[in-house]
Amino acid sequence: MALSPFPAASNTPGEGSIEISFLPPSRPTISEVSFTYPLKLVVSTPHIISSPPNPQPDEPHYPKLCPLIFLLSYGGGLLPPDTLSLKINLAPYTRLCLTTQGHTKLFAPPPSDPNALSRQILHTTVGRNAAFWLAPDPTQPFAGTCYSQKQVFYLGQNASVGFIDWVCEGRKARGESWNTIVDWRGINEIWTTVRGQEDTRPRLIIRDSVVLHPTDSHLSMSTIGIFATLILHGPLFVTLGAFLITEFKQLPRIGAPQDWANSAGALMSELSAWRQRRWEQERLDGVLWTAAPSRNCVILKLVAKDVEGAKWFLREMLGKEGTIDKEFGPGGSMCFR
């Protein structure tokens, strides 16, 4: 009996894998994409990256392409007991942008199995000098949702990872709110694989966890329509992280002295005028946010009255600084439009 030249197919529903390889001198390429129902992966046109003006000696093969892949689920959501499990491996000096085309709807379990849970699991290995940007649309839990999510990133030397993780309340027109969620749990972990010769075990850099439960969220989140977390780590995101920290420090403080002389329009710089406009829009959209460095990461937390307000804020901030569009292309900010 002749052996099949093709790799064995996975029969596990919802499993997928992505392998990004590097073709010298400067071309990251998708060497493998596989998935099973209800998971679907769609490869799009890669983004062309302009070379850095002053390439570093340790970057002889600066990537000139960033692959773009869309993560989808049939029906646009998850129905318990659906489980999506995706493994991604980025070879050294590669890039990848992973996004979605719309909200991931989280449906309630069927009456026949009221305790069923829907899950999303992501394991990503980012090689030396590689970079990964994960920018999905928010998850939207409907009434009765039971959901669990875990995202784990393993980073090599000088690897970079950035991702947005956000959840919005259910369908207001149907009377859904944070209080109609049964259980929503999400955890994000970043590990480094760079250790000494004697100790090769990965080391935890950051762990971020969010738990939404109706008894906790009914009153404290009654005026909030969306909750978001943005985490950045690695040399590719240093400039963006510094920009976010600077903008947070510039926020008006209660009781702080005001520079009225420079608030008259003509005397304001372009950046100051942009900040004034942004602050006013933040007030109208009910945007509250904070940003802080932690263990070589920058973590931004954000709430807003609705999804559009959060998207506008992130689009303004990331677009003004420019790293995402430059390094990952328009697909990197598609979820903010």
Side-chain angles (χ1 to χ4, degrees):
M1 181 177 178
L3 296 177
S4 172
F6 302 102
S10 170
N11 293 322
T12 305
E15 276 197 351
S17 65
I18 300 174
E19 187 85 21
I20 308 296
S21 303
F22 190 80
L23 295 179
S26 58
R27 186 180 180 88
T29 183
I30 302 173
S31 55
E32 178 187 339
V33 172
S34 63
F35 54 89
T36 58
Y37 177 90
L39 174 65
K40 187 174 183 179
L41 300 170
V42 178
V43 179
S44 186
T45 305
H47 167 63
I48 299 176
I49 305 172
S50 58
S51 298
N54 298 307
Q56 300 299 317
D58 62 341
E59 291 186 334
H61 306 299
Y62 192 84
K64 292 185 178 180
L65 290 177
C66 178
L68 172 63
I69 298 180
F70 289 93
L71 171 65
L72 311 173
S73 59
Y74 286 90
L78 297 177
L79 175 66
D82 286 349
T83 297
L84 303 185
S85 179
L86 179 61
K87 293 183 178 180
I88 303 175
N89 184 50
L90 276 69
Y93 294 100
T94 59
R95 297 278 176 85
L96 176 62
C97 176
L98 185 66
T99 186
T100 59
Q101 291 184 325
H103 289 35
T104 299
K105 301 173 182 64
L106 304 177
F107 298 96
S112 58
D113 190 4
N115 296 320
L117 188 71
S118 57
R119 297 182 176 89
Q120 288 199 86
I121 304 170
L122 174 67
H123 283 85
T124 303
T125 301
V126 186
R128 177 170 52 93
N129 291 87
F132 178 50
W133 172 244
L134 174 64
D137 288 89
T139 59
Q140 185 179 27
F142 292 171
T145 290
C146 295
Y147 174 75
S148 174
Q149 168 185 296
K150 186 173 184 179
Q151 300 181 145
V152 184
F153 307 89
Y154 296 97
L155 308 184
Q157 184 179 8
N158 292 329
S160 301
V161 64
F163 59 90
I164 176 76
D165 182 18
W166 43 356
V167 54
C168 63
E169 63 179 340
R171 300 162 292 186
K172 285 188 176 181
R174 298 179 62 101
E176 296 178 350
S177 65
W178 302 108
N179 198 42
T180 59
I181 300 173
V182 173
D183 196 30
W184 190 103
R185 298 173 183 268
I187 185 169
N188 300 297
E189 296 178 352
I190 298 179
W191 298 71
T192 178
T193 58
V194 181
R195 301 300 300 272
Q197 294 181 352
E198 297 181 357
D199 187 2
T200 59
R201 296 173 299 175
R203 178 172 60 89
L204 180 66
I205 299 176
I206 203 80
R207 176 183 285 130
D208 180 80
S209 181
V210 176
V211 178
L212 298 178
H213 194 272
T215 58
D216 303 325
S217 60
H218 177 52
L219 296 177
S220 59
M221 299 184 69
S222 58
T223 60
I224 296 172
I226 186 167
F227 176 79
T229 300
L230 174 69
I231 298 181
L232 306 170
H233 176 84
L236 194 68
F237 296 108
V238 166
T239 304
L240 175 56
F243 175 80
L244 296 177
I245 296 296
T246 299
E247 288 305 308
F248 178 69
K249 291 179 179 179
Q250 294 296 322
L251 285 175
R253 300 294 192 263
I254 297 177
Q258 302 294 321
D259 188 5
W260 300 111
N262 290 329
S263 61
L267 299 179
M268 284 197 298
S269 67
E270 179 184 354
L271 180 59
S272 298
W274 172 77
R275 282 176 180 153
Q276 292 289 341
R277 292 193 300 268
R278 199 195 77 226
W279 293 342
E280 178 61 21
Q281 191 63 43
E282 288 177 21
R283 185 186 66 81
L284 295 175
D285 292 334
V287 174
L288 297 175
W289 66 284
T290 181
S294 177
R295 304 193 68 183
N296 295 324
C297 297
V298 171
I299 303 176
L300 182 147
K301 296 286 185 176
L302 163 73
V303 297
K305 289 193 297 186
D306 53 39
V307 175
E308 294 307 315
K311 286 187 174 183
W312 175 88
F313 171 81
L314 291 168
R315 185 170 63 246
E316 280 288 305
M317 295 291 282
L318 302 187
K320 184 69 173 179
E321 191 277 334
T323 293
I324 301 302
D325 289 337
K326 176 179 179 293
E327 301 292 346
F328 299 96
S333 57
M334 187 173 296
C335 66
F336 308 132
R337 298 173 189 169

